[in-house]
Amino acid sequence: MAEATLRTAPLDKARVLQWLQTYGVYAGVAVLLVVNIVITPHFMSAENFRTQAVQVAPVIIVALGMALVIGTEGVDLSVGAVMALAASVTALYLGYGLLPALLVVAVFAAGVGLANGALVAFVGVQPIVATLALMVGGRGLALVLLPQLEDLRNPSLASLGSGDVLGIPYLILIATALALLLAFVVRRTTFGRQLLAIGDSRPAAQLAGLPVRRVLIIVYVVCALLAAVAGVLATARLQASDPTSLGNLMELSAITAVVVGGTPLTGGRVNIAGTVAGAVLIQLLTATLIKHDLPPSWTQIAQAIVIVAAVYAARGRGKR
Amino acid sequence: MTATRTDAPVTTASKQPSEETEPVGSARSERISALVQQHGALAVLMIVCLVASFSFDSFATGDNIGNMGTSSAFLAIVALGMTFVIITGGIDLSVGSLFALGGVLAAWGSRHGTLVALLLPLAVCGLIGVVNGLLVARSRLAPFIVTLAAMLGARGLMLAITDEGADTFLIGKGSLLAELGQGTTLGLGNPVWITLALFAAGALVLRRTRFGQHVYAVGGNEDAAALMGAPVARTKILVYTLSGLLAGLAGALNAAWLASGVTILGNGMELEAISAVVIGGTLLTGGLGYVSGSLVGVLLLKVIQNVINQIGSLDSSYQQVVSGAFLAVVVVAQTWLGRRRQLM
């Protein structure tokens, strides 16, 4: 049957779109890699790969949490604010040692996630509005706690940001481990199946007796915790806490990575590998334009085109 | 983002029994719910203003009120367009970028006369609005993502025009454009009068025209609206166009007020506008909303901002914390009231 369709309509639009949606992001990454290897001087250096990877790691970590939220047909706008909050809290409590500081960060992030999750799961507020409140308030809180950029001198924080194992930076190892862990959770655990069922149809999941509220709250808490991890890692890399600009527009980058990676905004499906590739694609695109001295405004326009193209390709594969 | 819409009936079903036991008071409590939803923000605004005018001598002065009015005007114009979009069940994240782009284009165009200065931003921002509308209505892409892309694209375009933000275009003193932004009529700034006129027109269009009916119908139930013969796609295209036009106009007026096109403006403005609209009683699920509410929402946000500035000893960062907390409280209240009304 499939072969027959292929013979009669070799360029069937729906098939092309379907292929693009599943593999387009990997194809895009491959094309950008080849293009860069050919036209960009010094692209094929270990140093460059390391720089690119370290830059994209926080985006990947935030996008992983965002992918889970989007899988439940939600969205989390507060991730950038949580990154800033994590930076401020780290700076405030670093005096007590890195581990205690990280614990306080985790408490703050879990609080934000709990608030988001409760608004969505118990009050029934639309995710975009529920998380909007903390997007505004969270960054405000970060600025109240620590009004300006502050240099952080802490050897363990510094080694977290720039240390490596066998030449692979911690940031990349952490991002990879988290991606593998979440891919396992989504594919192989009951929690993952419940999450997808809720994203597919929340009323149906409710009728089937799934713990809808608990799953939703856990998803938002996990998303906030991952954003906090990204915030701490970014702070560690910069060795400074920057509550004003850290994580700015991160929610948009993360959503872009998720959507470009083939996770539909309509929920019910989560593509973890695609999300990682989506973040890498955006990073490569930006790096390519910058390395060829094209102004940053071009990157924004290019990013806009990629987003619309990705969503256009994904069109019709959702529930409607 | 249809999560809550699909979810509402289930919650309704689970809570219905307890509500049915008290049918007598339900008609009255429905009226109260509706009243609070529509005018709650106004009541809060009046209380805040009253307390503030007793607490700070400088609050209720003509200068302060005039300043607040003018600085509210630009956000209010943006929120007006956003109200239309949100009533159709959509959202427009591109307005902040269009506001900045409109300002830069107006300032750039002012050297060719006031007409160019006003028409250029309207044309470009309106066109981006049309594209938003086409992608949402005809290609059926999520409004959230489409306007997000437009937000990035429009800001990129603005940066490209201004040589990555390095160029600042000035508006000549004494020109008609500058008069439009800086002048006053009967003691109130011209932007305030323009805003009031636009809101009156907006309320009229929404309440008294066929297009207005279609806006509510599309947001209430898109499929039903289509079955009843409402031009769903055209209505959506029009509201996004309107939102783009108003954001561009607000940007142009703001540039006229500041006498230059400032590139860093408009960041986060989409969130302020959405907050104002939501605080004003418009439901993000679409189908229900008030233009007047959005005006009150904008004033409330600006008054809070002003009060925090008046306190002085309070860090201005608290403004964001207070706005965020306020938004959360209002959203919870709105959802709760909305659900009560659905139960009846």
Side-chain angles (χ1 to χ4, degrees):
Chain A
M1 190 61 202
E3 280 172 41
T5 359
L6 199 63
R7 230 179 292 133
T8 48
L11 267 175
D12 184 2
K13 207 174 146 198
R15 279 174 145 268
V16 174
L17 282 180
Q18 190 176 345
W19 187 89
L20 268 181
Q21 209 224 335
T22 320
Y23 300 109
V25 62
Y26 306 109
V29 170
V31 167
L32 275 179
L33 277 175
V34 171
V35 165
N36 274 303
I37 289 167
V38 175
I39 67 165
T40 309
H42 314 300
F43 183 78
M44 282 295 284
S45 68
E47 191 49 46
N48 178 50
F49 271 100
R50 194 186 154 99
T51 313
Q52 300 294 335
V54 166
Q55 274 179 8
V56 80
V59 184
I60 290 177
I61 295 171
V62 176
L64 289 172
M66 187 68 81
L68 294 189
V69 172
I70 290 181
T72 66
E73 208 184 353
V75 74
D76 188 347
L77 297 183
S78 67
V79 286
V82 172
M83 283 181 75
L85 195 56
S88 291
V89 175
T90 309
L92 280 180
Y93 289 88
L94 206 52
Y96 301 96
L98 183 60
L99 209 61
L102 291 184
L103 281 177
V104 183
V105 168
V107 170
F108 266 83
V112 171
L114 213 57
N116 283 335
L119 282 177
V120 172
F122 283 95
V123 188
V125 178
Q126 277 177 304
I128 186 170
V129 201
T131 54
L132 178 65
L134 269 156
M135 176 189 190
V136 178
R139 191 168 290 276
L141 190 59
L143 285 163
V144 167
L145 291 174
L146 194 83
Q148 73 283 323
L149 191 136
E150 200 158 293
D151 285 329
L152 300 176
R153 312 223 172 278
N154 182 296
S156 33
L157 188 70
S159 77
L160 181 66
S162 54
D164 55 44
V165 181
L166 302 172
I168 307 171
Y170 287 141
L171 263 71
I172 298 167
L173 289 175
I174 294 171
T176 312
L178 287 170
L180 290 173
L181 177 69
L182 288 187
F184 175 80
V185 167
V186 169
R187 279 168 179 252
R188 294 267 182 269
T189 63
T190 315
F191 175 77
R193 276 196 293 275
Q194 288 172 340
L195 184 161
L196 296 180
I198 291 168
D200 217 17
S201 167
R202 198 166 143 187
Q206 223 142 17
L207 288 173
L210 298 185
V212 173
R213 289 174 169 171
R214 193 175 72 205
V215 172
L216 281 175
I217 285 186
I218 294 175
V219 165
Y220 282 93
V221 169
V222 168
C223 185
L225 284 174
L226 286 172
V229 169
V232 169
L233 289 179
T235 306
R237 195 167 68 84
L238 298 170
Q239 297 201 45
S241 161
D242 180 3
T244 321
S245 59
L246 184 71
N248 236 347
L249 292 183
M250 181 54 99
E251 58 287 343
L252 304 186
S253 304
I255 294 168
T256 307
V258 173
V259 170
V260 170
T263 299
L265 277 170
T266 42
R269 250 159 52 93
V270 173
N271 188 341
I272 293 289
T275 299
V276 175
V280 172
L281 179 73
I282 302 288
Q283 173 72 24
L284 276 176
L285 189 66
T286 311
T288 310
L289 294 175
I290 288 174
K291 275 186 193 291
H292 289 275
D293 286 331
L294 289 169
S297 56
W298 284 52
T299 20
Q300 292 193 341
I301 296 173
Q303 206 173 338
I305 294 170
V306 169
I307 297 175
V308 172
V311 183
Y312 194 85
R315 187 176 63 124
R317 289 211 68 199
K319 272 175 292 187
R320 248 184 238 205
Chain B
M1 306 298 135
T2 49
T4 28
R5 211 189 300 178
T6 48
D7 144 71
V10 174
T11 342
T12 311
S14 64
K15 285 206 176 158
Q16 214 140 35
S18 64
E19 291 293 332
E20 274 171 2
T21 52
E22 36 180 24
V24 186
S26 64
R28 185 194 289 160
S29 75
E30 180 186 6
R31 270 209 306 281
I32 294 172
S33 292
L35 215 65
V36 174
Q37 186 158 28
Q38 189 173 357
H39 300 296
L42 187 60
V44 176
L45 177 66
M46 292 198 299
I47 294 168
V48 172
C49 283
L50 214 64
V51 172
S53 57
F54 279 115
S55 312
F56 310 104
D57 292 337
S58 47
F59 182 81
T61 58
D63 273 354
N64 191 41
I65 290 174
N67 277 337
M68 266 197 287
T70 309
S71 67
S72 307
F74 313 110
L75 177 61
I77 296 175
V78 173
L80 178 63
M82 186 72 82
T83 312
F84 276 80
V85 173
I86 290 182
I87 293 176
T88 65
I91 202 152
D92 189 348
L93 298 181
S94 68
V95 289
S97 294
L98 292 181
F99 180 81
L101 179 63
V104 167
L105 286 174
W108 183 83
S110 68
R111 62 186 71 169
H112 303 290
T114 303
L115 202 62
V116 177
L118 281 178
L119 288 183
L120 189 66
L122 287 180
V124 175
C125 296
L127 190 68
I128 296 175
V130 172
V131 174
N132 279 340
L134 281 172
L135 286 170
V136 169
R138 297 257 183 246
S139 304
R140 299 189 143 267
L141 303 184
F144 176 71
I145 285 293
V146 169
T147 56
L148 171 64
M151 171 195 193
L152 289 172
R155 195 162 285 277
L157 186 62
M158 182 204 67
L159 288 175
I161 294 171
T162 57
D163 190 18
E164 305 307 314
D167 292 351
T168 308
F169 304 113
L170 298 177
I171 293 173
K173 281 232 185 298
S175 68
L176 188 59
L177 185 67
E179 179 60 25
L180 210 55
Q182 298 160 14
T184 55
T185 309
L186 301 174
L188 272 179
N190 287 337
V192 176
W193 291 111
I194 297 172
T195 307
L196 290 175
L198 287 171
F199 267 81
L204 219 60
V205 166
L206 206 51
R207 290 289 173 187
R208 292 277 180 266
T209 66
R210 183 155 294 214
F211 169 66
Q213 286 178 353
H214 292 155
V215 170
Y216 280 110
V218 168
N221 185 334
E222 196 178 319
D223 296 334
L227 286 174
M228 283 177 357
V232 173
R234 200 177 68 201
T235 306
K236 284 190 181 175
I237 295 170
L238 277 173
V239 295
Y240 286 96
T241 309
L242 188 67
S243 177
L245 282 172
L246 287 172
L249 176 66
L253 287 176
N254 188 59
W257 186 52
L258 297 172
S260 71
V262 183
T263 53
I264 54 162
L265 288 178
N267 267 328
M269 193 179 205
E270 58 284 342
L271 303 177
E272 273 188 289
I274 295 169
S275 307
V277 172
V278 172
I279 288 171
T282 298
L283 289 189
L284 267 153
T285 40
L288 184 71
Y290 323 93
V291 164
S292 56
S294 300
L295 189 58
V296 173
V298 168
L299 291 176
L300 196 45
L301 287 180
K302 290 291 175 184
V303 166
I304 291 174
Q305 197 174 326
N306 193 269
V307 166
I308 288 173
N309 287 340
Q310 300 266 358
I311 295 173
S313 65
L314 261 183
D315 197 316
S316 67
S317 316
Y318 278 101
Q319 187 186 311
Q320 281 177 291
V321 180
V322 173
S323 301
F326 201 76
L327 184 63
V329 169
V330 168
V331 162
V332 170
Q334 293 283 20
T335 312
W336 186 71
L337 289 170
R339 190 179 293 163
R340 274 184 75 82
R341 291 181 69 188
Q342 274 181 357
L343 286 173
M344 307 303 171

